[in-house]
């Protein structure tokens, strides 16, 4: 990495120390990414607040006593590679900083491999109004919409989250959570395609390129229905944000079933697909943008992420407090912390997903100015024009389409 011009650090000692630590991590772990400027994000992300809609199945769980004053802990379930991590210190710098500031210990777990699999693990406890052992769970828009509809989350006290003012205007109103009463965006990102540059130098441009005979048995696709099916339908010329239905969905599942049956696709996985890429068992596949960027930083820039010519999908993950969590005020304090632009920038510099926090781009200048132009964090208009949000599904459609998808992948 070329040396950057010295820049004035924040005056606040705690923030200054965190920025300096972030710079050290950046210098030791990251390579520069060239890309288009970050313009027009707010205009596009307005469409990103889409999730499942339909009849409510809200439970009538009893009121929960908040033990935050006496119990200085937070338990947070998140996806893998989704928070800044210091390889040398073997810790999460922003969590360490939060604990120093507040005295609250964060018990952080990379427990979520897929929305459906995680929901399956905790559904019975949520239905019973029981504590699932987590004070924050991080789920994608459509699943966030489901658990909110079902009454499985606690309403946030926004007075405890003053930095909510920094949420991008386009994300302040989402159809699955009007008024953001139960959720806050953690990160947004793309699903697209990727390939190993050394093992497949001719590269990929479309989803159909994944079915090339020289890739047989070396392809992975995501077990997130909206991402894999979204890309397959886009490849078939379908506007996934529009009025498609059974016919278009069935045509895409036929493609998926055929490619699994003939051995072209070796695995359908959640976050663990990264293991197949790193081991070399998979050469290409349908992936999430930030994962590939992180893998490249740690594995000598082996892979190329591509938004297919027909387009990729755009999604958001959301922070929510489960229905029986006894430490909601602590959880709200942590949410507020991550909506500070300097903290959001440090996270974005590590995870390389789209930051939902206003001011994060400007704060990035003090951490790694090169990332201010990283289109996977601050997207360009041209990239956003190729990203599509999977339309909202009714409860009946969600059951129907998800059932078809699970059948097609043999789940």
């Amino acid at each position: 990495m070329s040396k950057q011009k010295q820049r004035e650090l924040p005056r606040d000692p705690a923030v200054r120390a965190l920025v300096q630590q972030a710079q050290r991590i950046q210098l030791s772990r990251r390579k520069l990414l060239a890309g288009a400027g970050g313009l027009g994000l707010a205009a596009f992300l307005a469409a990103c607040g889409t999730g499942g809609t339909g009849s409510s199945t809200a439970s009538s769980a009893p009121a929960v006593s908040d033990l935050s004053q006496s119990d200085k802990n937070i338990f947070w379930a998140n996806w893998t590679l989704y928070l800044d991590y210091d390889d040398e210190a073997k810790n999460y710098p922003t969590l360490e900083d939060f604990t120093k500031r507040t005295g609250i210990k964060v018990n952080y777990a990379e427990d979520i491999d897929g929305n459906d699999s995680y929901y399956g693990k905790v559904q019975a406890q949520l239905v019973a109004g029981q504590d699932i052992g987590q004070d924050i769970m991080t789920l994608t828009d459509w699943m966030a919409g489901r658990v909110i509809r079902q009454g499985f989350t606690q309403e946030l006290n926004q007075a405890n989250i003053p930095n909510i003012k920094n949420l991008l205007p386009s994300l302040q109103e989402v159809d699955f959570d009007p008024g953001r009463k139960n959720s806050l965006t953690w990160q947004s990102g793309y699903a697209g395609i990727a390939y190993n540059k050394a093992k497949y130098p001719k590269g990929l441009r479309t989803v159909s390129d994944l079915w090339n005979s020289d890739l047989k048995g070396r392809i992975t696709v995501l077990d997130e229905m909206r991402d894999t099916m979204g890309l397959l339908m886009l490849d078939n010329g379908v506007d996934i944000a529009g009025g498609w239905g059974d016919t278009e969905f069935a045509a895409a599942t036929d493609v998926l079933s055929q490619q699994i049956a003939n051995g072209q696709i070796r695995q359908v996985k959640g976050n663990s697909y990264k293991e197949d890429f790193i081991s070399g068992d998979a050469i290409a596949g349908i992936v999430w943008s930030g994962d590939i960027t992180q893998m490249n930083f740690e594995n000598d820039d082996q892979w190329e992420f591509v938004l297919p010519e027909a387009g990729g999908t755009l999604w958001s993950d959301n922070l929510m407090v489960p229905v029986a969590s006894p430490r909601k005020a602590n959880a709200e304090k942590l949410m507020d912390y991550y909506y500070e632009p300097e903290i959001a920038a440090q996270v974005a510099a590590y995870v390389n997903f789209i930051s939902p926090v206003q001011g994060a781009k400007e704060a990035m200048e003090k951490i790694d100015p090169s990332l201010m132009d990283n289109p996977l964090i601050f997207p360009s208009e041209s990239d956003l024009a190729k990203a599509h949000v999977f339309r909202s599904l009714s409860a009946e459609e969600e059951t129907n389409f998800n059932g078809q998808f699970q059948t097609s992948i043999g789940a």
Side-chain angles (χ1 to χ4, degrees), residues 159-321:
N160 290 338
I161 316 173
N163 284 322
I164 195 173
K165 68 181 185 294
N166 295 327
L167 177 62
L168 288 172
S170 55
L171 292 172
Q172 291 174 9
E173 283 293 335
V174 291
D175 66 356
F176 64 85
D177 185 21
R180 281 296 189 182
K181 294 181 179 180
N182 297 271
S183 68
L184 280 177
T185 304
W186 171 240
Q187 306 288 313
S188 301
Y190 304 118
I193 55 178
Y195 60 93
N196 186 300
K197 292 183 288 187
K199 296 180 179 179
Y200 204 70
K202 67 181 181 181
L204 304 170
R205 295 179 299 106
T206 70
V207 172
S208 294
D209 289 343
L210 294 173
W211 318 142
N212 292 343
S213 59
D214 52 358
L215 288 173
K216 187 170 184 177
R218 310 299 295 277
I219 298 296
T220 65
V221 301
L222 298 170
D223 66 3
E224 285 293 328
M225 182 266 285
R226 285 161 175 79
D227 289 327
T228 291
M229 295 304 296
L231 263 67
L232 289 171
M233 286 195 288
L234 285 166
D235 196 57
N236 284 345
V238 176
D239 176 9
I240 63 172
W244 58 270
D246 291 340
T247 301
E248 293 82 1
F249 193 86
T253 55
D254 286 346
V255 173
L256 181 60
S257 298
Q258 177 184 350
Q259 299 303 332
I260 292 174
N262 68 17
Q264 187 75 16
I265 295 173
R266 71 179 306 274
Q267 292 283 348
V268 181
K269 287 188 170 184
N271 256 98
S272 58
Y273 77 87
K274 298 187 295 291
E275 299 167 4
D276 290 2
F277 270 65
I278 294 170
S279 70
D281 290 337
I283 293 177
I286 293 175
V287 303
W288 288 308
S289 54
D291 291 340
I292 298 301
T293 306
Q294 275 215 16
M295 288 161 55
N296 276 335
F297 289 147
E298 298 175 354
N299 296 275
D300 299 322
D301 195 31
Q302 294 183 42
W303 302 278
E304 184 77 20
F305 175 82
V306 178
L307 281 173
E309 290 181 353
T313 61
L314 179 69
W315 46 264
S316 292
D317 290 324
N318 303 272
L319 306 171
M320 295 172 292
V321 179

Side-chain angles (χ1 to χ4, degrees), residues 340-374:
E340 294 180 18
E342 294 83 2
I343 306 305
Q346 180 168 346
V347 173
Y350 185 94
V351 304
N352 288 122
F353 285 109
I354 299 169
S355 175
V357 177
Q358 295 184 91
K361 181 177 181 179
E362 292 74 16
M364 185 68 78
E365 185 175 12
K366 297 181 177 68
I367 296 173
D368 187 340
S370 69
L371 296 183
M372 294 178 71
D373 291 328
N374 181 345

Side-chain angles (χ1 to χ4, degrees), residues 44-58:
F44 188 83
L45 278 180
C48 197
T50 58
T53 59
S55 60
S56 173
T57 56

Side-chain angles (χ1 to χ4, degrees), residues 3-67:
K3 293 183 179 179
Q4 301 293 340
K5 181 180 178 181
Q6 187 70 25
R7 284 171 169 76
E8 182 181 356
L9 292 169
R11 294 182 179 179
D12 183 280
V15 174
R16 182 169 63 248
L18 200 59
V19 168
Q20 289 172 327
Q21 187 172 31
Q23 290 171 333
R24 177 175 64 78
I25 296 171
Q26 287 293 103
L27 288 169
S28 66
R29 302 184 71 249
R30 298 203 176 280
K31 300 175 183 177
L32 293 177
L33 289 175
L39 301 173
L41 175 62
F44 188 83
L45 278 180
C48 197
T50 58
T53 59
S55 60
S56 173
T57 56
S59 62
S60 54
V64 178
S65 297
D66 196 321
L67 305 178

